């Protein structure tokens, strides 16, 4: 049974563009995988503590030597890593906040970037351990950061996510961006704004399953 891990990180829920677009991806994925399972991980309703010295100490303690307290400290991280390992595919909604990823997404990344579990330095060189997965990142930005424009250098969302997930071993990643959502605050009709982005998500979701849009 194929599994899709669906992650959202916008605090805006019903008003969120990234949430609406990941929702459309999930709907298409379900249609293509009637026997599939979707795991929803809403980072705005998950308690994600910042990592601290005790957490780092636990991570670098060999599993067989970990105390019950250390195991408890790592329980959330273990379960979030397991979600990544158990899914075949990911769709991740990302609003741009202050030119980067939202804080809840960074807190999640800190929990899932685990030496020995999602990456290793076993031979002195980094090796990603998240292998054989497909990911779709759906980004929403208030401004427009198209490549070749002056604004592009201010976009730390896509380059960061490409680097981080590449480091963790992900080789099949698609980035779809809905840029210019601030137009919605200036009176642009939401359906008109969303239509081409919903179409792009639909086309990608169908193509990613080997079908035709
Ligand atoms: C706290 C906050 C910070 C933001 N920072 C930026 C920014 O640096 N650049 C930008 O283009 N838009 C910025 N925006 C606008 C969002 O990127 C935009 O509203 C986008 O649609 C968010 O995705 P969402 O609709 O899924 O929440 C910011 C919005 C919020 C709430």
């Amino acid at each position: 049974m194929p599994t899709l891990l669906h992650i959202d990180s916008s605090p805006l829920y019903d008003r969120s563009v990234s949430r609406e677009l990941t929702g459309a991806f999930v709907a298409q994925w379900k249609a293509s995988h009637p026997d599939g399972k979707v795991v929803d991980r809403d980072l705005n309703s998950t308690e994600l503590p910042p990592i601290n010295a005790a957490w780092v100490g636990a991570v670098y303690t060999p599993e067989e030597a970990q105390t019950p307290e250390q195991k408890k400290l790592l329980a959330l991280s273990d379960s979030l890593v397991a979600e990544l390992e158990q899914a075949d595919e990911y769709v991740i909604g990302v609003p741009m906040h202050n030119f980067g990823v939202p804080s809840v997404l960074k807190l999640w990344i800190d929990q899932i970037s685990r030496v020995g579990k999602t990456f290793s330095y076993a031979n002195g060189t980094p090796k990603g351990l998240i292998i054989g997965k497909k990911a779709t990142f759906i980004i929403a930005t208030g401004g427009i950061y198209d490549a070749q424009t002056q604004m592009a250098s201010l976009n730390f969302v896509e380059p960061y996510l490409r680097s981080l997930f590449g480091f963790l071993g992900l080789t099949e990643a698609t980035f779809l961006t809905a840029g210019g959502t601030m137009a919605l605050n200036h009176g642009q009709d939401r359906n008109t704004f969303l239509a081409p982005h919903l179409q792009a998500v639909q086309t990608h979701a169908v193509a990613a399953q080997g079908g035709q849009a």
Side-chain angles (χ1 to χ4, degrees):
M1 179 170 71
T3 300
L4 173 71
L5 176 60
H6 167 207
I7 297 176
D8 275 318
S9 60
S10 168
L12 298 186
Y13 289 88
D14 286 357
R15 281 195 294 132
S16 160
V17 169
S18 60
R19 280 181 185 266
E20 184 152 353
L21 295 175
T22 60
F25 181 97
V26 171
Q28 181 57 53
W29 192 89
K30 279 183 178 164
S32 311
H33 301 88
D35 61 335
K37 178 179 158 192
V38 177
V39 175
D40 295 305
R41 170 56 60 191
D42 181 354
L43 300 183
N44 300 90
S45 64
T46 303
E47 209 174 307
L48 293 160
I51 59 171
N52 58 20
W55 188 94
V56 175
V59 162
Y60 284 94
T61 303
E63 225 161 288
E64 59 282 5
Q66 283 168 1
T67 65
E69 289 74 28
Q70 286 180 315
K71 286 190 196 303
K72 206 169 144 198
L73 268 180
L74 296 180
L76 172 67
S77 168
D78 287 343
S79 70
L80 296 175
V81 168
E83 280 180 353
L84 280 173
E85 289 170 344
Q86 284 158 18
D88 305 286
E89 213 175 314
Y90 317 137
V91 60
I92 305 182
V94 188
M96 174 185 275
H97 282 177
N98 304 315
F99 303 114
V101 300
S103 46
V104 290
L105 184 58
K106 178 60 167 61
L107 289 168
W108 175 81
I109 286 170
D110 288 344
Q111 294 287 333
I112 59 100
S113 301
R114 282 276 301 276
V115 67
K117 288 201 180 284
T118 54
F119 70 93
S120 94
Y121 275 111
N123 304 319
T125 47
K127 181 170 176 245
L129 301 177
I130 297 287
I131 306 293
K133 315 288 185 182
K134 246 194 294 198
T136 302
F137 295 88
I138 302 183
I139 299 167
T141 63
I144 293 177
Y145 298 84
D146 287 348
Q148 323 301 343
T149 67
Q150 255 189 336
M151 290 297 280
S153 66
L154 296 178
N155 180 359
F156 293 89
V157 177
E158 185 175 329
Y160 171 63
L161 293 172
R162 275 190 191 281
S163 303
L164 187 276
F165 281 91
F167 174 76
L168 297 181
L170 196 79
T171 50
E172 247 189 286
T174 300
F175 287 80
L176 302 174
T177 297
T181 65
M182 73 168 69
L184 298 173
N185 301 333
H186 296 110
Q188 179 163 9
D189 176 66
R190 186 174 170 95
N191 291 334
T192 308
F193 176 85
L194 279 173
H197 300 297
L198 286 167
Q199 185 59 56
V201 166
Q202 167 89 3
T203 302
H204 163 67
V206 171
Q209 312 314 321
Q212 287 186 338

